[in-house]
Amino acid sequence: PPTLTLREVERLRKSVSKLFSLNIGTCQSSEYPCTCVYPSVQVTWAQVTHEYETTLDLTKPFSENTLNTPCLFLAAGYLNPTRELEINLERWGDSAVVVGAAKSSNAWYGARGIAAWVPNLFQARAEALVQRGINLRQWARREWTFHAKGLWLRPPTPEASEPPVVMSAGSSNYGHRSFLRDVEVQAFIVTQDPKLQNDIKSELESSVIKNSSPFLRNEPRQGAFVRMLASMLASFL
């Protein structure tokens, strides 16, 4: 982070906090569907953790969700969630679909030197998520890189084709680095508009679900050294 005095950090924190106290407005018209956009910022070193807190709240499982249909979708090219977020995802079981990049679609795949280790480190993190019972899929397409990121929520109904009503769009990878080190800007969108809901669903299916497949448990695991290194460097990934 940049070098700031405590007074400057506090001034920044208060300025950003004012943004979230603004009255964004509510839907007053029954004639038009409602869509609200809520801005969010993450600057942990300035004690601004709004995005992380919002993400944790949104990823808490619905208490009434016993239908075992996908309700939560989370995607990140650099999949490395914090332990708190992992616990939320574990509690969803198969009702959460988590999508990350396969080794061959990691942006660092094919790099040389130390950078060549990066895809293996993320693969080790993926293996750890699967071991904890998280429903993980990996996106792979020849000569393509997966860098999609987002969070989508749909109502807990028996119809798995129900479109999302909540989505996020922004810079966060929902991982240690995003929440602890980087500056991230995010928008959370809540909509009752059927057309927008279906557009969001179409984008989710074409950009994230398509070309993804369940994590292959029978593939050889990363070695003990790589797993240890991935754990040690988690906050930098």
Side-chain angles (χ1 to χ4, degrees):
T3 302
L4 298 175
T5 65
L6 290 176
R7 179 176 294 180
E8 290 171 329
V9 169
E10 181 63 15
R11 186 184 301 125
L12 174 62
R13 186 189 66 79
K14 288 181 177 179
S15 297
V16 175
S17 296
K18 286 181 181 179
L19 174 66
F20 305 127
S21 63
L22 295 176
N23 182 7
I24 297 178
T26 57
C27 295
Q28 303 295 333
S29 171
S30 59
E31 183 178 355
Y32 300 102
C34 174
T35 298
C36 293
V37 179
Y38 301 93
S40 181
V41 176
Q42 183 76 19
V43 195
T44 302
W45 48 264
Q47 301 175 27
V48 178
T49 58
H50 182 268
E51 191 234 338
Y52 185 47
E53 294 167 8
T54 304
T55 299
L56 289 180
D57 282 342
L58 286 175
T59 54
K60 290 177 180 176
F62 302 131
S63 59
E64 67 272 21
N65 181 32
T66 58
L67 301 169
N68 207 34
T69 56
C71 293
L72 169 70
F73 300 86
L74 186 144
Y78 302 115
L79 191 60
N80 180 35
T82 64
R83 186 58 188 140
E84 288 177 298
L85 183 53
E86 280 184 18
I87 290 172
N88 281 358
L89 296 174
E90 289 171 23
R91 291 171 58 198
W92 280 92
D94 289 340
S95 293
V97 177
V98 181
V99 182
K103 274 182 60 176
S104 60
S105 292
N106 186 289
W108 295 92
Y109 186 73
R112 296 181 180 180
I114 295 177
W117 286 80
V118 174
N120 293 320
L121 297 177
F122 279 104
Q123 188 70 3
R125 295 291 295 130
E127 292 171 358
L129 295 179
V130 172
Q131 286 184 326
R132 294 188 177 110
I134 292 174
N135 182 17
L136 177 64
R137 300 176 67 88
Q138 290 193 307
W139 192 98
R141 184 173 178 180
R142 187 176 180 182
E143 297 183 353
W144 281 59
T145 295
F146 182 71
H147 210 284
K149 55 190 74 173
L151 185 154
W152 299 262
L153 274 169
R154 53 173 292 276
T157 65
E159 297 297 326
S161 59
E162 191 80 13
V165 296
V166 177
M167 71 162 289
S168 68
S171 60
S172 179
N173 276 297
Y174 307 101
H176 283 77
R177 187 180 182 91
S178 290
F179 293 138
L180 301 178
R181 297 183 179 277
D182 293 345
V183 176
E184 305 288 3
V185 178
Q186 193 94 319
F188 293 94
I189 302 168
V190 183
T191 182
Q192 297 172 337
D193 186 337
K195 182 181 184 305
L196 180 56
Q197 289 176 356
N198 285 319
D199 287 345
I200 292 172
K201 176 188 174 186
S202 177
E203 181 184 58
L204 170 63
E205 291 176 345
S206 61
S207 302
V208 177
I209 303 302
K210 185 180 179 181
N211 297 315
S212 74
S213 56
F215 184 90
L216 298 178
R217 296 172 181 266
N218 58 348
E219 282 193 351
R221 293 185 62 196
Q222 297 297 309
F225 177 73
V226 174
R227 297 199 304 271
M228 180 185 69
L229 201 59
S231 179
M232 291 173 56
L233 299 177
S235 67
F236 294 92
L237 297 176

XYZ file of all heavy atoms in Angstrom, residues 52 55-62 65 71-76 79-100 125 128-130 132-137 150-153 173-175 179:
451
model
N -15.659 -7.212 1.013
C -15.483 -8.531 1.624
C -16.663 -8.866 2.525
O -17.196 -9.982 2.476
C -14.179 -8.547 2.429
C -13.837 -9.902 3.020
C -13.907 -11.044 2.243
C -13.427 -10.021 4.338
C -13.576 -12.292 2.770
C -13.097 -11.260 4.877
C -13.185 -12.384 4.084
O -12.865 -13.620 4.603
N -19.636 -9.703 0.338
C -19.475 -11.018 -0.288
C -19.781 -12.137 0.706
O -20.466 -13.106 0.376
C -18.049 -11.176 -0.844
O -17.823 -10.178 -1.835
C -17.852 -12.557 -1.463
N -19.286 -12.010 1.925
C -19.555 -13.030 2.946
C -21.043 -13.110 3.261
O -21.597 -14.204 3.429
C -18.757 -12.734 4.219
C -17.245 -12.940 4.150
C -16.602 -12.605 5.492
C -16.903 -14.372 3.743
N -21.709 -11.955 3.330
C -23.149 -11.956 3.605
C -23.926 -12.627 2.471
O -24.838 -13.431 2.709
C -23.663 -10.526 3.798
C -23.321 -9.967 5.168
O -23.012 -10.773 6.071
O -23.352 -8.737 5.342
N -23.563 -12.314 1.228
C -24.285 -12.867 0.079
C -24.045 -14.366 -0.095
O -24.891 -15.062 -0.665
C -23.872 -12.130 -1.203
C -24.424 -10.723 -1.389
C -23.827 -10.080 -2.636
C -25.949 -10.742 -1.496
N -22.907 -14.847 0.356
C -22.597 -16.271 0.156
C -23.009 -17.148 1.327
O -22.715 -18.342 1.334
C -21.086 -16.460 -0.107
O -20.333 -15.853 0.952
C -20.687 -15.835 -1.438
N -23.700 -16.577 2.301
C -24.257 -17.418 3.362
C -25.430 -18.206 2.791
O -26.303 -17.633 2.151
C -24.708 -16.557 4.548
C -23.561 -15.932 5.321
C -24.075 -15.042 6.436
C -22.915 -14.417 7.198
N -23.391 -13.465 8.242
N -25.495 -19.512 3.019
C -26.555 -20.329 2.427
C -27.943 -19.913 2.908
O -28.116 -19.447 4.029
C -26.230 -21.745 2.906
C -24.790 -21.696 3.273
C -24.533 -20.306 3.771
N -28.931 -20.080 2.008
C -30.327 -19.877 2.394
C -30.721 -20.976 3.364
O -30.521 -22.159 3.073
C -31.250 -19.945 1.171
C -30.910 -18.950 0.096
C -30.788 -19.353 -1.223
C -30.714 -17.615 0.404
C -30.490 -18.443 -2.226
C -30.409 -16.697 -0.596
C -30.291 -17.113 -1.908
N -33.019 -23.550 1.809
C -32.622 -24.222 0.576
C -32.320 -25.699 0.841
O -31.230 -26.060 1.250
C -31.396 -23.547 -0.040
C -30.986 -24.224 -1.342
O -31.826 -24.729 -2.057
N -29.711 -24.248 -1.608
N -27.956 -22.583 -6.649
C -28.470 -21.256 -6.294
C -27.370 -20.203 -6.301
O -27.644 -19.032 -6.554
C -29.116 -21.283 -4.914
S -30.619 -22.271 -4.820
N -26.152 -20.622 -6.002
C -25.025 -19.695 -5.956
C -23.989 -20.108 -6.989
O -23.621 -21.279 -7.082
C -24.390 -19.695 -4.563
C -23.046 -18.964 -4.422
C -23.246 -17.460 -4.563
C -22.378 -19.295 -3.093
N -23.528 -19.134 -7.772
C -22.448 -19.355 -8.730
C -21.349 -18.349 -8.427
O -21.621 -17.158 -8.270
C -22.948 -19.165 -10.169
C -24.050 -20.097 -10.574
C -25.374 -19.784 -10.296
C -23.774 -21.293 -11.217
C -26.405 -20.633 -10.653
C -24.796 -22.161 -11.583
C -26.114 -21.827 -11.294
N -20.117 -18.833 -8.346
C -18.982 -17.952 -8.099
C -17.856 -18.342 -9.041
O -17.526 -19.532 -9.152
C -18.525 -18.041 -6.640
C -17.427 -17.050 -6.213
C -17.653 -16.597 -4.773
C -16.033 -17.676 -6.342
N -17.297 -17.369 -9.727
C -16.224 -17.646 -10.690
C -15.057 -16.705 -10.470
O -15.243 -15.523 -10.131
C -16.746 -17.496 -12.118
N -13.865 -17.230 -10.650
C -12.652 -16.414 -10.548
C -11.535 -17.096 -11.318
O -11.344 -18.312 -11.192
C -12.245 -16.204 -9.095
N -8.580 -18.565 -8.477
C -9.462 -19.023 -7.405
C -8.652 -19.356 -6.150
O -7.893 -20.318 -6.117
C -10.240 -20.254 -7.877
C -11.390 -20.718 -6.998
C -12.447 -19.624 -6.858
C -12.016 -21.978 -7.572
N -8.839 -18.528 -5.111
C -8.072 -18.697 -3.889
C -8.836 -18.063 -2.725
O -8.382 -17.092 -2.121
C -6.690 -18.049 -4.062
C -5.833 -18.177 -2.827
O -5.878 -19.172 -2.110
N -5.036 -17.145 -2.562
N -10.033 -18.582 -2.397
C -10.877 -17.940 -1.388
C -10.283 -17.988 0.011
O -9.500 -18.890 0.339
C -12.184 -18.742 -1.451
C -11.787 -20.069 -2.002
C -10.659 -19.801 -2.947
N -10.653 -17.008 0.820
C -10.252 -17.013 2.221
C -10.967 -18.150 2.947
O -11.946 -18.713 2.452
C -10.623 -15.685 2.899
O -12.047 -15.554 2.905
C -9.993 -14.506 2.179
N -10.497 -18.477 4.137
C -11.112 -19.572 4.896
C -12.568 -19.255 5.232
O -13.421 -20.155 5.197
C -10.312 -19.837 6.175
C -10.806 -21.055 6.954
C -10.764 -22.308 6.119
N -11.405 -23.455 6.765
C -12.169 -24.343 6.149
N -12.410 -24.214 4.855
N -12.692 -25.343 6.807
N -12.880 -17.994 5.531
C -14.269 -17.626 5.839
C -15.174 -17.865 4.648
O -16.289 -18.385 4.798
C -14.337 -16.157 6.260
C -13.754 -15.862 7.621
C -13.785 -14.383 7.925
O -13.135 -13.614 7.192
O -14.460 -13.996 8.901
N -14.708 -17.496 3.467
C -15.512 -17.718 2.266
C -15.604 -19.208 1.947
O -16.653 -19.696 1.520
C -14.898 -16.956 1.087
C -15.650 -17.028 -0.250
C -17.115 -16.629 -0.086
C -14.961 -16.134 -1.290
N -14.530 -19.936 2.155
C -14.556 -21.387 1.953
C -15.646 -22.040 2.806
O -16.378 -22.910 2.328
C -13.202 -22.002 2.319
C -12.138 -21.870 1.268
C -10.868 -22.590 1.688
O -10.949 -23.444 2.596
O -9.806 -22.296 1.116
N -15.733 -21.639 4.068
C -16.730 -22.223 4.977
C -18.136 -21.984 4.443
O -18.983 -22.894 4.449
C -16.566 -21.628 6.392
C -15.264 -22.129 7.018
C -17.755 -22.001 7.274
C -14.905 -21.448 8.323
N -18.397 -20.766 3.946
C -19.709 -20.490 3.357
C -19.976 -21.402 2.169
O -21.073 -21.962 2.022
C -19.800 -19.028 2.920
C -20.073 -18.082 4.071
O -20.241 -18.512 5.220
N -20.113 -16.799 3.787
N -18.983 -21.553 1.287
C -19.157 -22.384 0.091
C -19.354 -23.850 0.470
O -20.143 -24.566 -0.163
C -17.947 -22.229 -0.832
C -17.732 -20.827 -1.414
C -16.417 -20.762 -2.187
C -18.896 -20.423 -2.302
N -18.638 -24.314 1.485
C -18.803 -25.705 1.949
C -20.237 -25.957 2.392
O -20.815 -27.013 2.109
C -17.860 -25.978 3.118
C -16.393 -26.059 2.746
C -15.507 -26.109 3.987
O -16.005 -26.516 5.056
O -14.323 -25.738 3.896
N -20.828 -24.997 3.074
C -22.167 -25.175 3.635
C -23.234 -25.259 2.548
O -24.310 -25.809 2.774
C -22.484 -24.031 4.604
C -21.640 -24.068 5.883
C -21.824 -22.803 6.699
N -23.228 -22.593 7.057
C -23.726 -21.428 7.457
N -22.932 -20.369 7.525
N -25.004 -21.328 7.765
N -22.942 -24.727 1.371
C -23.902 -24.821 0.269
C -23.972 -26.240 -0.310
O -24.991 -26.628 -0.870
C -23.496 -23.865 -0.852
C -23.857 -22.435 -0.644
C -23.085 -21.474 -0.068
C -25.070 -21.782 -1.022
N -23.732 -20.272 -0.058
C -24.953 -20.430 -0.644
C -26.242 -22.205 -1.642
C -25.957 -19.495 -0.867
C -27.252 -21.274 -1.871
C -27.104 -19.938 -1.480
N -22.889 -26.985 -0.224
C -22.854 -28.301 -0.875
C -22.964 -28.153 -2.379
O -22.372 -27.256 -2.991
N -23.768 -29.013 -2.999
C -23.922 -28.972 -4.455
C -24.772 -27.802 -4.934
O -24.915 -27.592 -6.140
C -24.552 -30.285 -4.951
C -23.591 -31.455 -4.849
O -22.373 -31.198 -4.765
O -24.056 -32.605 -4.837
N -25.361 -27.053 -4.004
C -26.171 -25.898 -4.396
C -25.316 -24.692 -4.766
O -25.841 -23.684 -5.219
C -27.131 -25.511 -3.263
O -28.099 -26.526 -3.077
N -24.013 -24.796 -4.550
C -23.082 -23.757 -5.005
C -22.204 -24.333 -6.102
O -21.685 -25.452 -5.979
C -22.222 -23.259 -3.848
N -22.059 -23.598 -7.173
C -21.184 -23.998 -8.280
C -20.029 -22.998 -8.332
O -20.235 -21.806 -8.553
C -21.937 -24.005 -9.622
C -20.983 -24.361 -10.759
C -23.106 -24.980 -9.573
N -18.828 -23.485 -8.109
C -17.636 -22.639 -8.097
C -16.798 -22.980 -9.326
O -16.509 -24.155 -9.571
C -16.817 -22.848 -6.803
C -15.589 -21.955 -6.792
C -17.692 -22.581 -5.578
N -16.431 -21.964 -10.090
C -15.703 -22.189 -11.348
C -14.368 -21.456 -11.309
O -14.315 -20.250 -11.022
C -16.527 -21.713 -12.568
C -15.755 -21.998 -13.864
C -17.891 -22.389 -12.592
N -13.302 -22.183 -11.583
C -11.968 -21.599 -11.670
C -11.290 -22.042 -12.951
O -11.825 -22.849 -13.716
N -4.432 -25.246 -4.765
C -5.539 -24.627 -4.029
C -6.873 -25.231 -4.461
O -7.766 -25.445 -3.636
C -5.544 -23.116 -4.270
C -4.348 -22.376 -3.728
C -4.355 -22.363 -2.199
N -5.480 -21.605 -1.684
C -6.322 -22.042 -0.753
N -6.171 -23.244 -0.223
N -7.312 -21.292 -0.340
N -7.411 -28.518 -2.771
C -7.791 -28.342 -1.365
C -9.278 -28.012 -1.245
O -9.958 -28.494 -0.323
C -6.950 -27.233 -0.737
N -9.803 -27.218 -2.170
C -11.227 -26.873 -2.139
C -12.097 -28.112 -2.342
O -13.105 -28.303 -1.656
C -11.542 -25.828 -3.221
C -10.893 -24.456 -3.066
C -11.283 -23.557 -4.231
C -11.287 -23.809 -1.754
N -11.702 -28.943 -3.293
C -12.475 -30.166 -3.571
C -12.440 -31.098 -2.366
O -13.452 -31.720 -2.004
C -11.920 -30.861 -4.827
C -12.587 -32.228 -5.022
C -12.154 -29.994 -6.058
N -12.406 -30.301 0.610
C -13.293 -29.756 1.646
C -14.762 -29.855 1.247
O -15.637 -29.344 1.944
C -12.921 -28.303 1.946
C -11.537 -28.167 2.574
C -11.269 -26.739 3.044
N -9.970 -26.670 3.694
C -8.914 -26.061 3.186
N -8.993 -25.472 2.020
N -7.765 -26.036 3.843
N -15.040 -30.475 0.106
C -16.425 -30.712 -0.289
C -17.045 -29.615 -1.121
O -18.272 -29.585 -1.300
N -16.243 -28.714 -1.658
C -16.774 -27.633 -2.485
C -16.998 -28.135 -3.907
O -16.162 -28.848 -4.472
C -15.818 -26.422 -2.463
C -15.830 -25.803 -1.059
C -16.199 -25.389 -3.510
C -14.825 -24.693 -0.862
N -18.139 -27.779 -4.476
C -18.534 -28.215 -5.811
C -17.787 -27.386 -6.856
O -18.241 -26.327 -7.277
C -20.052 -28.051 -5.962
C -20.553 -28.529 -7.316
O -19.865 -29.254 -8.042
N -21.756 -28.104 -7.677
N -16.629 -27.874 -7.254
C -15.725 -27.111 -8.112
C -15.748 -27.610 -9.551
O -15.698 -28.812 -9.815
C -14.293 -27.189 -7.570
C -13.206 -26.487 -8.395
C -13.444 -24.984 -8.431
C -11.822 -26.805 -7.845
N -15.816 -26.656 -10.470
C -15.672 -26.927 -11.899
C -14.470 -26.137 -12.404
O -14.127 -25.084 -11.851
C -16.937 -26.519 -12.675
C -18.185 -27.249 -12.242
C -19.410 -26.723 -12.975
N -19.373 -27.026 -14.396
C -19.847 -28.146 -14.943
N -20.390 -29.077 -14.167
N -19.798 -28.339 -16.242
N -17.054 -13.250 -11.004
C -18.385 -12.766 -10.666
C -19.069 -13.658 -9.666
O -18.593 -14.753 -9.327
N -20.195 -13.163 -9.171
C -21.020 -13.884 -8.208
C -22.464 -13.734 -8.651
O -22.898 -12.624 -9.000
C -20.806 -13.298 -6.813
C -21.470 -13.963 -5.605
C -20.652 -13.663 -4.350
C -22.893 -13.462 -5.405
N -23.196 -14.846 -8.679
C -24.582 -14.839 -9.112
C -25.429 -15.620 -8.106
O -25.016 -16.676 -7.632
C -24.732 -15.499 -10.489
C -23.972 -14.835 -11.594
C -24.443 -13.951 -12.517
C -22.587 -15.027 -11.942
N -23.452 -13.571 -13.389
C -22.295 -14.220 -13.053
C -21.573 -15.817 -11.384
C -21.040 -14.171 -13.635
C -20.311 -15.765 -11.957
C -20.048 -14.953 -13.078
N -26.617 -15.101 -7.816
C -27.539 -15.769 -6.902
C -28.904 -15.892 -7.550
O -29.413 -14.928 -8.133
C -27.680 -14.968 -5.603
C -26.661 -15.216 -4.495
C -26.815 -14.142 -3.416
C -26.848 -16.593 -3.887
N -11.244 -10.952 -7.449
C -11.124 -12.384 -7.721
C -11.614 -13.219 -6.534
O -11.422 -14.432 -6.516
C -9.667 -12.754 -8.027
C -9.306 -12.511 -9.480
O -9.864 -13.132 -10.380
N -8.387 -11.599 -9.718
N -12.187 -12.567 -5.527
C -12.764 -13.235 -4.360
C -11.729 -14.100 -3.637
O -12.046 -15.167 -3.133
C -13.987 -14.090 -4.763
C -15.005 -13.301 -5.533
C -15.084 -13.403 -6.922
C -15.854 -12.427 -4.890
C -15.994 -12.655 -7.636
C -16.765 -11.669 -5.594
C -16.830 -11.787 -6.969
O -17.740 -11.029 -7.674
N -10.504 -13.631 -3.615
C -9.439 -14.408 -2.989
C -8.682 -13.620 -1.949
O -8.983 -12.453 -1.666
N -8.943 -9.500 -1.182
C -9.539 -9.045 0.068
C -8.522 -8.466 1.047
O -8.883 -7.674 1.919
C -10.286 -10.200 0.739
C -11.507 -10.658 -0.018
C -11.793 -12.009 -0.150
C -12.370 -9.750 -0.594
C -12.915 -12.432 -0.846
C -13.492 -10.161 -1.297
C -13.766 -11.503 -1.423
